């Protein structure tokens, strides 16, 4: 049987055996790369997934594989970023919107990895991101000398990628080819190092990274875990730093809360400039929406702008999503939308995340994620394997729905409310230090937002 066929049948078996959300989260993007003697080599899209699949599904995967190909005895998991869907697409005529997306993708500068759509000119500044923005401007004027490294941190969708790529694009347009720039996500960096080790090409990596003048590293929180990668990053960092090359880093949390980072790297980060991006307040959101609608040539009444600003509280990506959806509807319908239609879009898109979530949805998503029964999660059993799921459920009920602790306690485990407070605090404290926990929470939140 062909590899692809084999894996397809394995997946369809697995799909039956584990819950749907878990299948989608962990296995949908897996591939069978190779079968070497009795070992099946399976690729997964990132380290977190790899660890999870190895720990939870390895046995099941092997036994399923064995049923189909009896010579297979072991499975090996490796991380490999999956090709973009646009490359795989067999559709000969991509639709207008897809075409546009495709174009955007192909515009990425192969030398610097920068996407030209992220510019400092289109970066809206308010009190929530002023510090990070002025640090960015200072870096453009004084490459490698003023703030080095520049470390920018903030929550999801608040503009970290936009800002650091904006710095790169600005430097490129000011200094042209005199300055060599390289943008990379820490995940990509990790993959490259691992590939280089396996293929004995470390020298290529060293020379590629150590010859740049400006290195932009996005989402540094994902770098950890692999000693060799961190070590390579440390040497790259030092070599650039000592030669007065500019380093710019983004992260979802401050250096001191990066759990996996070696002390020596952490103190290097702390030696530069650290700037955070916080949540934009209401007025700033109104300003963002106004600017974005102008850019997109989308005319919206003040009332709708205010409605979006009131509802879209999570981040700028959410705002962008709503505006894109409105644009999309207008272009497919070929007309300006009526007020009620606009209101409907805004409510639908924001309600999903904030207002319509029920405690039952959270309980169901946590149970699905850990593959336990909702009744066990909420019940009185003191079984050890229920501890973490319960603490996470308590945390999410508080964090997403702001429920009172006595009420949460009555829902989960039927204990005293101090148990709920303890659980909430514990998760909340660990969250900043424990990347693994952080990822789990993010994935469960995604399940909640997707659930009906
Ligand atoms: P992060 O990397 O912090 O998750 P992104 O940089 O990807 O966030 O931003 C999410 C979306 O919001 C992008 O489309 C980005 O262009 C937009 N965005 C974020 N901050 C700003 C800003 N200050 N001005 C204009 N657009 C912004
Ligand atoms: Mg980003």
């Amino acid at each position: 049987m062909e590899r692809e066929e084999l894996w397809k049948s394995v997946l369809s078996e697995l799909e039956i055996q584990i819950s749907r959300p878990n299948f989608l989260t962990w296995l949908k993007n897996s591939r069978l790369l190779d079968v070497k003697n009795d070992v099946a080599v399976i690729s997964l899209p990132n380290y977190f997934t790899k660890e999870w699949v190895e720990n939870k599904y390895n046995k099941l995967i092997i036994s399923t594989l064995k049923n189909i190909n009896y010579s297979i005895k072991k499975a090996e998991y490796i991380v490999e970023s999956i090709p973009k869907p646009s490359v795989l697409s067999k559709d000969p005529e991509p639709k207008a919107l897809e075409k546009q997306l495709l174009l955007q993708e192909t515009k990425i500068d192969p030398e610097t990895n920068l996407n030209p759509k992220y510019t400092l000119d289109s970066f809206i500044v308010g009190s929530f991101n002023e510090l990070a923005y002025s640090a960015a401007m200072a870096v453009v004027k004084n490459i490698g000398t003023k703030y080095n490294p520049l470390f920018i941190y903030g929550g999801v969708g608040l503009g970290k990628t936009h800002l650091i790529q904006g710095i790169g694009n600005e430097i490129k347009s000011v200094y042209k080819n005199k300055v060599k720039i390289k943008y990379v996500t820490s995940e990509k960096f990790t993959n490259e190092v691992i590939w280089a080790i396996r293929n004995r090409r470390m020298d290529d990596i060293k020379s590629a990274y150590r010859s740049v003048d400006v290195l932009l590293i996005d989402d540094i929180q994902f770098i950890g875990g692999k000693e060799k990668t961190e070590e390579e990053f440390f040497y790259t960092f030092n070599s650039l730093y000592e030669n007065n090359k500019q380093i710019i880093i983004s992260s979802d949390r401050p250096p001191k809360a990066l759990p996996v980072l070696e002390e020596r790297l952490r103190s290097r980060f702390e030696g530069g400039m650290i700037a955070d991006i916080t949540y934009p307040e209401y007025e700033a959101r109104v300003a963002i929406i106004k600017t974005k609608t102008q850019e997109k040539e989308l005319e919206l009444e003040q009332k709708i702008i205010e409605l979006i600003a009131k509802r879209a509280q999570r981040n700028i990506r959410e705002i962008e999503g709503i505006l894109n959806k409105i644009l999309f509807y207008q272009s497919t319908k070929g007309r300006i939308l009526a007020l009620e239609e606009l209101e409907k879009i805004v409510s639908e898109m924001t309600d999903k995340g904030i207002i319509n979530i029920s405690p039952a949805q959270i309980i169901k998503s946590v149970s699905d994620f850990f593959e336990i029964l909702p009744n066990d999660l909420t019940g009185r059993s003191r079984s050890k394997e229920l501890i973490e799921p319960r603490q996470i459920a308590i945390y999410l009920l508080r964090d997403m729905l702001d429920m009172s602790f006595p009420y949460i306690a009555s829902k989960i485990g039927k204990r005293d409310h101090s148990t709920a407070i303890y659980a909430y605090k514990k998760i909340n404290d660990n969250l900043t230090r424990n990347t693994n926990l952080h990822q789990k929470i993010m994935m469960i939140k995604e399940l909640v937002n997707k659930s009906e």
Side-chain angles (χ1 to χ4, degrees):
M1 203 187 299
E2 285 292 320
R3 246 186 314 137
E4 261 176 50
E5 289 290 299
L6 171 61
W7 194 238
K8 243 193 218 155
S9 12
V10 169
L11 286 182
S12 50
E13 276 296 308
L14 292 172
E15 205 171 352
I16 304 168
Q17 304 206 35
I18 63 183
S19 76
R20 179 109 191 113
N22 270 310
F23 179 79
L24 294 179
T25 310
W26 305 117
L27 293 166
K28 211 188 108 216
N29 291 323
S30 60
R31 292 198 302 141
L32 181 62
L33 283 187
D34 200 2
V35 179
K36 281 188 281 192
N37 305 322
D38 58 349
V39 183
V41 185
I42 296 155
S43 101
L44 296 164
N46 56 55
Y47 287 96
F48 185 65
T49 308
K50 171 178 178 281
E51 206 168 298
W52 190 270
V53 170
E54 249 175 341
N55 288 332
K56 279 204 82 170
Y57 300 119
N58 185 39
K59 268 196 199 142
L60 184 63
I61 289 174
I62 293 174
S63 67
T64 315
L65 272 165
K66 243 191 211 156
N67 277 343
I68 304 171
N69 180 336
Y70 64 92
S71 61
I72 295 175
K73 297 202 174 61
K74 281 181 231 143
E76 195 184 296
Y77 302 88
I78 69 161
V79 175
E80 187 199 53
S81 343
I82 35 170
K84 297 253 174 355
S86 56
V87 182
L88 291 175
S89 161
K90 291 201 181 81
D91 193 350
E93 268 285 319
K95 292 178 196 74
L97 202 69
E98 284 169 30
K99 228 181 212 163
Q100 206 186 329
L101 290 175
L102 256 166
L103 272 179
Q104 271 181 9
E105 298 227 331
T106 48
K107 272 199 300 196
I108 290 174
D109 181 337
E111 206 150 297
T112 59
N113 279 330
L114 288 169
N115 186 332
K117 80 169 180 179
Y118 294 122
T119 63
L120 289 185
D121 287 340
S122 65
F123 190 78
I124 301 158
V125 186
S127 55
F128 67 103
N129 61 10
E130 212 172 3
L131 180 66
Y133 177 77
S134 31
M137 291 307 275
V139 162
V140 173
K141 291 206 189 83
N142 314 277
I143 300 174
T145 49
K146 189 158 174 122
Y147 295 139
N148 206 12
L150 171 61
F151 189 101
I152 289 169
Y153 74 91
V156 181
L158 292 176
K160 301 182 296 293
T161 298
H162 187 141
L163 183 59
I164 73 168
Q165 290 219 22
I167 299 175
N169 280 317
E170 182 70 21
I171 292 177
K172 200 171 112 183
S173 85
V174 175
Y175 300 86
K176 304 281 181 309
N177 293 331
K178 279 182 240 135
V179 173
K180 199 169 164 204
I181 308 162
K182 197 169 169 73
Y183 166 87
V184 70
T185 62
S186 71
E187 212 172 2
K188 179 148 185 272
F189 181 82
T190 305
N191 286 342
E192 285 178 5
V193 170
I194 288 168
W195 177 88
I197 294 169
R198 194 176 298 141
N199 295 287
R200 301 178 201 284
R201 299 277 286 275
M202 262 329 276
D203 287 344
D204 292 5
I205 294 272
K206 285 195 207 322
S207 59
Y209 280 93
R210 294 181 195 178
S211 65
V212 301
D213 302 302
V214 179
L215 178 63
L216 306 149
I217 288 239
D218 207 354
D219 286 325
I220 193 81
Q221 72 271 12
F222 293 127
I223 203 154
K226 289 270 175 280
E227 243 168 58
K228 185 71 196 160
T229 317
E230 214 178 307
E231 196 177 299
E232 190 47 43
F233 179 69
F234 182 73
Y235 288 127
T236 303
F237 182 98
N238 273 349
S239 140
L240 292 175
Y241 182 81
E242 276 154 17
N243 290 302
N244 286 330
K245 307 294 185 184
Q246 180 69 47
I247 301 150
I248 299 162
I249 298 158
S250 91
S251 164
D252 68 347
R253 63 201 89 171
K256 68 172 182 323
L258 281 168
V260 282
L261 220 56
E262 277 181 60
E263 202 44 50
R264 52 184 185 172
L265 206 46
R266 195 193 320 271
S267 61
R268 282 276 154 132
F269 290 169
E270 280 170 348
M273 168 73 178
I274 301 176
D276 65 340
I277 301 183
T278 59
Y279 287 89
E281 67 285 13
Y282 177 77
E283 278 73 26
R285 295 202 295 276
V286 171
I288 290 168
I289 298 164
K290 284 195 169 152
T291 314
K292 295 247 164 197
T293 48
Q294 274 165 14
E295 274 169 22
K296 294 175 195 290
E297 295 179 18
L298 175 68
E299 273 179 43
L300 292 180
E301 279 182 49
Q302 183 66 16
K303 202 176 143 197
I304 290 291
I305 293 179
E306 284 170 13
L307 178 71
I308 300 174
K310 241 178 253 151
R311 292 293 191 78
Q313 300 184 354
R314 275 180 293 190
N315 57 47
I316 300 171
R317 186 172 295 147
E318 186 180 26
I319 292 177
E320 189 104 64
I322 293 172
L323 298 180
N324 285 339
K325 188 126 186 187
I326 295 174
L327 264 180
F328 175 75
Y329 274 126
Q330 296 203 344
S331 77
T332 48
K333 286 188 197 262
R335 61 172 171 81
I336 306 279
L337 298 183
L339 200 61
E340 305 81 62
E341 290 175 300
L342 290 167
E343 280 176 344
K344 194 162 162 254
I345 293 177
V346 176
S347 324
E348 269 176 16
M349 288 191 72
T350 49
D351 280 356
K352 228 176 138 194
I354 305 167
I355 296 159
N356 272 349
I357 294 172
S358 66
Q361 261 170 291
I362 293 183
I363 289 166
K364 168 104 184 19
S365 302
V366 175
S367 315
D368 278 347
F369 185 84
F370 289 102
E371 298 194 307
I372 53 177
L373 295 172
N375 279 343
D376 288 338
L377 185 77
T378 55
R380 281 169 173 277
S381 153
R382 292 190 176 243
S383 159
K384 234 177 162 179
E385 57 175 42
L386 295 173
I387 296 176
E388 193 192 17
R390 261 189 205 148
Q391 289 180 339
I392 288 182
I394 290 169
Y395 170 81
L396 290 175
L397 287 169
R398 179 75 183 181
D399 181 63
M400 296 182 91
L401 299 179
D402 207 21
M403 295 173 83
S404 78
F405 285 117
Y407 185 77
I408 294 175
S410 76
K411 283 243 163 219
I412 309 277
K414 319 214 167 29
R415 304 266 170 74
D416 194 280
H417 73 276
S418 61
T419 322
I421 296 179
Y422 171 80
Y424 175 81
K425 279 219 176 104
K426 177 149 185 234
I427 298 290
N428 199 34
D429 290 348
N430 286 346
L431 211 50
T432 46
R433 273 178 271 124
N434 184 338
T435 335
N436 206 302
L437 177 67
H438 184 85
Q439 293 251 34
K440 277 186 205 167
I441 301 265
M442 308 255 261
M443 286 185 171
I444 298 171
K445 276 191 174 172
E446 231 177 276
L447 285 182
V448 175
N449 283 327
K450 273 193 252 159
S451 70
E452 310 268 304

